[in-house]
Amino acid sequence: MVSQEVPGTPRCTEEAHSLDEQSTSYTEVHSPSNMKKSEISGVMAKADIKPKSICHAKKWSDEVENLYRFQQAGYRDEVEYKQVKQVDTVECWPETGFVKKLQRRDNTFYYYNKQRECEDREVHKVKVYVY
């Protein structure tokens, strides 16, 4: 069992719903080793790792913004996008670090602005996956 948390991601201390089991349990995500986000997602994309639990975002952050963009395009997160599209990197805006362009499963592209697109009323709909 590997639990990893990306800095800036909300911690799931509430009831976490297991994706592999029928029962639910309380869990807390502990800080990972000193791996960078890109290193973590690169390793996870190659290993076909599935999320262990899920929670919803409570407040906006840069990470929630990027998760919103991936989920708008039909993916769980960067890990699933890299697994499905077989890419090593995701195109991001250099100024903000937000995702710039994503290719949907039907091969159409979503283009995103440099500024925030996930409004406060949409934040609670964003799913944060724990691996």
Side-chain angles (χ1 to χ4, degrees):
M1 176 175 117
V2 177
S3 293
Q4 297 180 355
E5 179 181 314
V6 179
T9 305
R11 298 182 76 169
C12 298
T13 54
E14 62 186 40
E15 185 175 348
H17 302 283
S18 174
L19 299 177
D20 296 330
E21 302 172 355
Q22 294 292 345
S23 64
T24 57
S25 62
Y26 283 85
T27 184
E28 183 173 321
V29 180
H30 299 285
S31 297
S33 62
N34 293 334
M35 291 181 75
K36 293 181 180 177
K37 178 185 171 203
S38 59
E39 293 172 355
I40 293 170
S41 60
V43 170
M44 292 170 69
K46 291 177 177 54
D48 193 29
I49 297 175
K50 298 192 187 298
K52 181 184 175 237
S53 62
I54 181 175
C55 66
H56 289 269
K58 302 289 186 244
K59 64 177 187 171
W60 185 89
S61 69
D62 290 350
E63 182 67 22
V64 170
E65 178 67 33
N66 279 334
L67 286 171
Y68 174 79
R69 293 172 186 221
F70 281 109
Q71 291 169 16
Q72 286 291 306
Y75 301 96
R76 279 190 313 254
D77 51 20
E78 183 177 358
V79 174
E80 184 184 39
Y81 181 78
K82 288 180 175 181
Q83 285 175 352
V84 172
K85 290 298 174 186
Q86 300 294 309
V87 295
D88 292 328
T89 60
V90 177
E91 195 171 335
C92 295
W93 290 103
E95 298 90 348
T96 59
F98 296 150
V99 173
K100 183 176 185 179
K101 176 178 77 173
L102 292 174
Q103 187 175 11
R104 292 184 358 178
R105 293 173 197 262
D106 64 359
N107 293 327
T108 56
F109 286 88
Y110 275 9
Y111 295 91
Y112 298 99
N113 295 323
K114 293 178 190 176
Q115 299 86 13
R116 173 181 174 175
E117 292 194 8
C118 180
E119 299 177 19
D120 285 333
R121 67 177 186 218
E122 301 287 322
V123 168
H124 74 282
K125 296 177 184 177
V126 176
K127 298 174 184 174
V128 180
Y129 293 90
V130 179
Y131 290 91

